[in-house]
Amino acid sequence: MSHVVQIATQVRDAAAVRKACDRLGLDDPVEGEVKLFSQTVSGLAVQLAKWRYPVVFDLTTGESKFDNYQGHWGNQKELDPFLQAYAVEKTKLVARRKGYSVTERSLEGGNIQLSVNVGA
């Protein structure tokens, strides 16, 4: 039986953030206070390629905070793959914790299909 699930990403799991960074070849995330252009925020900071300031995730609320100055200091196209990688890694972590197997397949257009096998 097949089920299609649409996931709205809230970033709440530090282990999945680390795996997403590894997957994309990014530096390890850093926990703490981060100065963005006009404010200081706290959370788990991920430095995306070609972004002036990191993206900071509040793992309690799942919110992301960043200042990319309407694309001048960082292109949204760099954040979207990170959120996708996070969603994939979080799904795999949860599935494996429950003893399920997971297979992953890259699709056209950059989409990723995960199949979670819950049966033995």
Side-chain angles (χ1 to χ4, degrees):
M1 180 184 305
S2 177
H3 300 273
V4 175
V5 178
Q6 183 170 354
I7 300 171
T9 307
Q10 291 187 347
V11 177
R12 294 177 180 264
D13 186 317
V17 170
R18 286 184 184 86
K19 286 190 169 286
C21 288
D22 286 346
R23 181 186 184 103
L24 298 175
L26 301 173
D27 291 339
D28 289 339
V30 177
E31 179 74 38
E33 288 192 350
V34 176
K35 173 90 169 108
L36 301 180
F37 179 74
S38 61
Q39 74 180 109
T40 299
V41 297
S42 297
L44 190 59
V46 172
Q47 184 63 55
L48 299 174
K50 301 178 185 175
W51 278 53
R52 180 175 291 185
Y53 299 103
V55 179
V56 181
F57 299 101
D58 182 332
L59 301 181
T60 303
T61 65
E63 293 177 336
S64 58
K65 298 175 184 169
F66 57 89
D67 187 348
N68 69 345
Y69 192 47
Q70 300 171 345
H72 295 281
W73 296 341
N75 192 326
Q76 180 76 27
K77 288 194 291 188
E78 303 292 331
L79 178 57
D80 294 341
F82 176 81
L83 294 174
Q84 179 189 47
Y86 172 82
V88 167
E89 295 299 334
K90 176 65 178 173
T91 301
K92 290 166 62 176
L93 283 170
V94 170
R96 289 180 178 145
R97 279 187 207 133
K98 294 183 176 189
Y100 304 146
S101 63
V102 180
T103 57
E104 178 179 335
R105 187 167 66 109
S106 296
L107 303 175
E108 288 186 34
N111 294 321
I112 298 171
Q113 180 184 40
L114 292 178
S115 297
V116 179
N117 185 1
V118 296

